[in-house]
Amino acid sequence: MKSKQIFILAAIFALLTIGVFVRQTQKPAELVTNDMIPLDFSMDPAEVAGIEIYKSADESSRIELALEEDAWVSRTQWGARADKAKIDSFLEEIAGAKGELRGDDKKIFSDFGIRSKESLQIKLTNSAGKVILAFHIGKKVMQSLFVRQDGEARVFMTEANLLGLMGIYGNPADSDLIQDFWLDTQIFHFDPEKVTAFNVWRADLSEPAVTADIKRIDKGDRKQWKFIREGLPFKIDAAKVKNYLGTLKDLRARKVLDPDAEGYAFDIPLWKAEVALEEGDGVTILLGPKNEETQSYPVSVSTDPVVYELSQYYLESLLID
């Protein structure tokens, strides 16, 4: 073979090799990774006054949280108090989410589990109801997940802990939304330092009786507790009063219950307390009879729209002899 022919064949072989290499390394346009197009969920968490979390395939599990009079509540849980710390962490995680483009074509949404019918959808609104940000969460892959803004074709991969901060640890399509996850289960929200008097009545004794009826007397910077009934030969241990009120404040409910349900029997309470405060209305607390099935007690707090379920384990914390 002549040298000229060998040169031509070598050139053709080189061109074929380059073509094969380019074909193998080139990604389809819809799957191209572009580090120059980062995920941008930037928004001001302080502007958010409404959060909706839902699946189109299961509207009954929708979660709606709203900021009302500077306090977060769950509109899908009878207006129960919501956990501000959890909400703040979730909004901060959204605002700081970083990620990279992984697709740009609606035809491949199913590959990412991010079609509207299968994704987990988040909508953030301001106090006027205007949408600040709406996005979808798709499949979870190891510590990452796929997201896209509503109405857009671009899909991003992010390592933001959006699912974990909603109490979800699997793929959204296979996971239930947890209403109770967002609730503030603290039963009593009054400040023990602001209590000026309280009365406790018990019906579980051999004879129903008032077991505490005391008031605070302020003398300058000194605060003393005295029995409201005159003539009693006992002195009140201020440390015990402080510990009792602190214990009440630390009590946590197992969950919240429908206030319109029947069977709580608050008209014949097992325990009742009336708490007076330095400012505003006082608080009336009722403990209904024990639910033998759940081994718990229903608790009504006059300042809250829901009924709390208190585990039997914590009953002793309420009782004063």
Side-chain angles (χ1 to χ4, degrees):
M1 183 179 293
K2 295 181 180 180
S3 57
K4 184 176 181 180
Q5 292 175 316
I6 294 174
F7 176 78
I8 293 173
L9 289 173
I12 293 173
F13 178 76
L15 291 173
L16 289 173
T17 300
I18 293 172
V20 170
F21 176 78
V22 170
R23 183 179 180 83
Q24 290 181 341
T25 57
Q26 190 175 40
K27 295 182 181 180
E30 67 273 14
L31 289 175
V32 67
T33 299
N34 188 344
D35 295 344
M36 299 303 293
I37 306 179
L39 172 65
D40 182 12
F41 277 176
S42 59
M43 54 88 186
D44 183 359
E47 293 183 0
V48 178
I51 303 172
E52 294 180 38
I53 305 170
Y54 61 98
K55 298 180 182 181
S56 295
D58 184 15
E59 278 290 326
S60 63
S61 66
R62 175 186 288 265
I63 294 171
E64 292 186 17
L65 307 171
L67 187 61
E68 298 180 357
E69 298 181 359
D70 297 324
W72 283 96
V73 301
S74 172
R75 287 182 173 170
T76 44
Q77 286 288 83
W78 311 289
R81 296 174 189 264
D83 191 320
K84 182 179 183 301
K86 287 183 177 179
I87 292 172
D88 287 346
S89 295
F90 181 56
L91 294 177
E92 291 291 345
E93 191 75 3
I94 294 173
K98 305 298 180 185
E100 298 175 349
L101 186 67
R102 284 295 180 267
D104 194 3
D105 192 323
K106 294 182 179 180
K107 295 178 181 178
I108 59 171
F109 277 3
S110 60
D111 296 339
F112 300 115
I114 208 161
R115 292 175 295 182
S116 295
K117 66 179 183 180
E118 62 196 348
S119 66
L120 177 59
Q121 300 183 51
I122 313 294
K123 183 187 294 183
L124 308 179
T125 55
N126 62 17
S127 58
K130 181 180 179 180
V131 177
I132 296 173
L133 175 67
F135 64 97
H136 300 248
I137 300 178
K139 289 180 180 178
K140 180 180 180 182
V141 180
M142 300 296 286
Q143 301 302 313
S144 301
L145 48 88
F146 296 108
V147 297
R148 70 175 176 88
Q149 288 200 44
D150 192 47
E152 293 192 4
R154 294 186 300 181
V155 178
F156 294 84
M157 175 178 276
T158 180
E159 292 185 356
N161 186 29
L162 302 178
L163 293 178
L165 291 176
M166 290 187 283
I168 299 173
Y169 301 99
N171 278 314
D174 306 320
S175 302
D176 294 328
L177 299 183
I178 307 171
Q179 294 276 355
D180 289 351
F181 175 82
W182 296 98
L183 300 184
D184 179 356
T185 56
Q186 181 178 338
I187 299 176
F188 308 117
H189 287 82
F190 55 77
D191 183 351
E193 296 295 327
K194 304 295 184 182
V195 173
T196 58
F198 70 90
N199 172 292
V200 175
W201 177 88
R202 289 176 59 179
D204 63 317
L205 303 174
S206 56
E207 291 286 339
V210 172
T211 56
D213 191 16
I214 63 177
K215 63 181 179 180
R216 195 183 77 195
I217 305 297
D218 297 343
K219 295 182 178 180
D221 294 334
R222 296 179 59 193
K223 297 180 180 180
Q224 297 179 337
W225 289 94
K226 293 186 63 176
F227 290 106
I228 292 178
R229 179 181 171 184
E230 298 292 342
L232 293 177
F234 313 107
K235 287 187 176 182
I236 297 176
D237 187 332
K240 287 185 177 180
V241 174
K242 182 177 181 179
N243 289 339
Y244 180 70
L245 293 176
T247 298
L248 290 184
K249 184 173 177 62
D250 290 339
L251 282 179
R252 294 294 187 274
R254 182 186 290 170
K255 62 180 181 179
V256 299
L257 304 172
D258 183 352
D260 295 324
E262 298 180 354
Y264 299 133
F266 289 131
D267 56 328
I268 48 171
L270 181 69
W271 176 94
K272 177 181 179 180
E274 294 181 329
V275 181
L277 304 171
E278 290 179 359
E279 298 178 354
D281 297 331
V283 182
T284 299
I285 308 157
L286 301 173
L287 182 80
K290 182 180 179 181
N291 183 320
E292 295 293 344
E293 182 179 346
T294 61
Q295 294 294 295
S296 65
Y297 297 84
V299 178
S300 168
V301 182
S302 59
T303 54
D304 290 6
V306 297
V307 172
Y308 296 98
E309 183 179 274
L310 181 69
S311 170
Q312 181 181 355
Y313 176 82
Y314 295 108
L315 180 63
E316 293 297 324
S317 299
L318 293 176
L319 304 182
I320 299 177
D321 295 329

